[in-house]
Every structure is written in structure tokens, then in C-alpha cells.
Amino acid sequence: MTSPKRKTIQTMKPATAAKKLGVLLSATPAEFQAGVVSRDELNELQSTPPAWLADLRRNGPHPKQVIAAKLRVSISGLARSGITGPLTTAEIDALKAENPAWLERERSIQAETRKEALRLKQR
């Protein structure tokens, strides 16, 4: 007879958890950055975010994947335009209001890329 296997707890580094939560690791509390995050803890953070997480998601600073999504451009488009660091929600809103030429160009490139991907998927 074999003994039942113990269930191991899945853990991840804080950087991985921050990416999954859509926040910038350096903006998270020190205790979050110092420890490891279990799958259950991540699920809890996603389902009932604490005040610090809700504030980070609302006001930033945001990582590049969130910035790109909010501006409706690709991460490569951000790099081409010279945006390499985190931005706050206010800075993103200011960019949207200003609507510079690079933003219009990158949005059209992104729209064409999505259209082409959809066309290829329907084949």
C-alpha cells in the first residue's frame, strides 16, 4: 500500500505575482516584494484586492503591458515612441487627451495587426 501524496503548495516570485496582478512590482508594499506568493494568495488578491492593490490598479504607476492596453497600442509601439518607463493613470489620460501623431499611428498599426490576425484565424 502506498501512502497518499502530500499536496505541494504552488508558489511564485513576487515579480511573477505582480505581473499577473497587472501592477508594477516596485510600487507594491515591501512585505509583498520580500516574500513568495502562493496560488491561493494570488487568487485571494485577485478576488478581494486590498486597498493598496486597488489603488495601484486605479492610479498607477502602471507597467508597460497595462499602459499599452489603456492606450490601445502594442508594447513595441510604446518603445518606438520612447515610452520605456511606468506611467500613472493621469499621465495616460493626458496622452489620450493630447492624442499625439505617434499615438494615432501606433493605434492604426495595432488595429491593422488585429484585423490581419482575425483574417488569418478565419481561414
Side-chain angles (χ1 to χ4, degrees):
M1 218 182 215
T2 60
S3 61
K5 292 186 180 181
R6 295 179 65 193
K7 185 177 179 182
T8 58
I9 297 173
Q10 288 182 323
T11 60
M12 61 192 83
K13 294 178 182 176
T16 304
K19 188 171 184 177
K20 289 180 181 284
L21 292 169
V23 296
L24 197 62
L25 177 62
S26 61
T28 61
E31 60 270 6
F32 181 84
Q33 294 178 33
V36 294
V37 180
S38 72
R39 174 63 65 186
D40 291 338
E41 290 170 334
L42 179 70
N43 291 339
E44 180 68 24
L45 287 170
Q46 288 173 325
S47 64
T48 54
W52 65 265
L53 181 56
D55 185 52
L56 275 178
R57 286 179 169 169
R58 186 175 38 257
N59 302 319
H62 302 289
K64 61 186 170 194
Q65 68 267 22
V66 174
I67 298 168
K70 286 180 179 263
L71 292 175
R72 296 182 323 214
V73 299
S74 67
I75 293 173
S76 299
L78 287 177
R80 282 191 293 271
S81 66
I83 296 177
T84 57
L87 296 177
T88 63
T89 300
E91 292 169 324
I92 293 169
D93 290 342
L95 271 174
K96 286 180 181 178
E98 184 183 320
N99 201 20
W102 69 263
L103 183 56
E104 285 186 37
R105 184 177 63 251
E106 292 300 334
R107 281 181 174 167
S108 67
I109 291 170
Q110 184 72 352
E112 287 298 318
T113 302
R114 286 186 178 142
K115 220 186 298 184
E116 180 65 11
L118 182 62
R119 185 188 69 81
L120 292 173
K121 186 177 179 181
Q122 291 176 344
R123 288 172 94 185

